Amino acid sequence: MTLTGPKATASERRSSDGRRVPPGPPLWAGPGLFKKLAKDRLALMEQAATYGDAAKLSIGPKTLYFFNHPDHAKHVLADNSGNYHKGVGLVQARRAIGDGLLTSEGELWRKQRRMIQPVFQNKRISQQAGVIAKEAADLVERLRAKGAEGPVDVVQEMTWLSLGVLGRTLLDADLGEFASIGQDFEAVQDQAMFELVTLSKVPMWVPLPKQIRFRRARNDLQRIVDHLEAERLKSGELGDDVVSRLIASTREEADPRVGRLRMRDELVTLLLAGHETTASTLSWTFHLLDGHPEVRERLHAEAVEVLGDRLPVYEDLHRLKYTAMVVEEVMRLYPPVWMLPREAQGDDEVGGYHVPAGADVLISPYTLHRHPAFWDRPEVFDPERFDPDRPGGRPRYAYIPFGAGPRFCVGNHLGMMEATFVIAMVARDLRLAKVPGYKVVPEPMLSLRVRGGLPMTVHPVRDAGGAGA
């Protein structure tokens, strides 16, 4: 399959066999590019975008083909997705997080997707609305109580909230009893990024502090998974939650050890990817609201009008229209999945450029969501651009916060409901303000999160009984 690219020009690069080659920095720029890969991955994506909608980056033993047009994203992620497996970064991350849904391929991935898909069906997710609303209400009260004592770390609070929601909605379990789980996931993420930068060339047994922490975290996560499995089996019956489905699925493995590892890999992947993406989106939301009081006030007014003093219910999702617009705009500026790496299995042509078999291909929602050809004032936070009553006009694949194609995020509906309910309830009752002088810096890990946390002060705008402050 081929995409039509721009017409050839006399000055463009061509391979020895006459095929068009994307522009990009010279080979001697490789060390500088590697430094950005290790220390400032967003800057690397931004630099690639300066070459246009396609770029070729040579970084040590790797050559990366960067594509930054909606048509390119559609081709790689959807139209010709069968030719593209998970690529650089996720391939290396497999050594850290195993063969879960995020990193697996082929028949294993299809089996995993079929197993987990029913848990995310709209009917089941709609029945979890009350659980999410209760977790959001508990968050508001925690913020209110902790805020009376000083600044709170919003990233940490959103992380525990998201883990609580995932535990109760998908696992039918309380993850709050596992105090170490947050630190475990930090160690796993650090190792995954280390694998990316080193291209998995450092043996896992090398006693680096990072790798020692990772090995301890992996053992602890195995302990947690074993506990969840034992508790479910002790209950005497399996339900429709993820733990039950994994128990039933892994019983099919001939080797019990393989089944045990599969359960760990799949649960760890689900929890890590699921809680990180939503926690990141919520953290970026409160950061942006602090700098845009007019948006915050409109959110507050909508929440008061729609919810009054009660908890949200599933039917409120379509009534919280402006809140959803805010969530979508936050994910445009800070997409939780900031990079979608792929590896070409066979020769292809994208945007008129030859992509050889084995090439590492990058689609970056972070740069695609800022493409000036498709977004007016792309650096400006403006929820109005997602007003459903406004005429469209931009290509479908100019906005892909949940990915695209067959590997479109299975948890998108759950994530949107959680984000919408939490933002509405916090905006209704509280105002969060950044600590003066604190610099907010993006950190592109497995998700695009706030580096080092987000300390904010908490100011009630309504008392606990619902009256305005």
Side-chain angles (χ1 to χ4, degrees), residues 8 17 37 88 174 195 203 207 247 259 275 289 298 300 305 385:
D17 58 2
L37 177 66
V88 63
D174 179 8
E195 299 289 348
I247 290 173
H275 93 272
L289 290 181
R298 186 169 169 185
H300 170 77
E305 178 184 354
R385 67 176 91 237

Side-chain angles (χ1 to χ4, degrees), residues 134-253:
K134 177 62 167 57
E135 290 285 335
D138 290 345
L139 168 72
V140 170
E141 293 313 306
R142 280 199 309 274
L143 291 174
R144 193 189 298 274
K146 290 183 178 181
E149 301 173 359
V152 298
D153 183 353
V154 168
V155 171
Q156 186 179 71
E157 293 298 330
M158 299 307 144
T159 296
W160 279 111
L161 165 85
S162 297
L163 280 171
V165 168
L166 282 180
R168 296 191 183 283
T169 60
L170 301 186
L171 310 184
D172 193 20
D174 179 8
L175 297 179
E177 61 183 286
F178 305 113
S180 60
I181 195 169
Q183 292 179 337
D184 291 344
F185 282 137
E186 283 295 309
V188 170
Q189 279 222 69
D190 286 346
Q191 183 70 25
M193 290 299 103
F194 179 72
E195 299 289 348
L196 164 62
V197 173
T198 62
L199 299 178
S200 295
K201 300 299 184 184
V202 179
M204 196 75 78
W205 54 261
V206 175
L208 299 174
K210 187 187 304 289
Q211 300 209 130
I212 293 172
R213 286 194 299 272
F214 166 70
R215 290 198 295 270
R216 289 172 178 167
R218 188 168 57 179
N219 290 337
D220 190 51
L221 288 170
Q222 183 68 67
R223 175 188 67 82
I224 292 171
V225 169
D226 289 346
H227 177 82
L228 291 172
E229 179 182 15
E231 288 298 305
R232 190 55 37 81
L233 291 173
K234 189 190 300 182
S235 70
E237 60 181 57
L238 300 181
D240 68 345
D241 59 276
V242 172
V243 175
S244 296
R245 287 180 170 276
L246 278 173
I247 290 173
S249 174
T250 54
R251 279 175 174 172
E252 301 170 6
E253 298 287 353

Side-chain angles (χ1 to χ4, degrees), residues 39-40 42 155 284 287 334 366 434 438-445 448-455:
K39 301 293 185 180
D40 196 349
L42 291 184
V155 171
W284 285 116
H287 158 65
Y334 298 104
Y366 181 82
K434 288 196 294 290
Y438 187 82
K439 186 177 181 181
V440 176
V441 179
E443 183 178 33
M445 300 288 278
L448 183 56
R449 63 187 189 181
V450 180
R451 176 177 293 163
L454 180 59

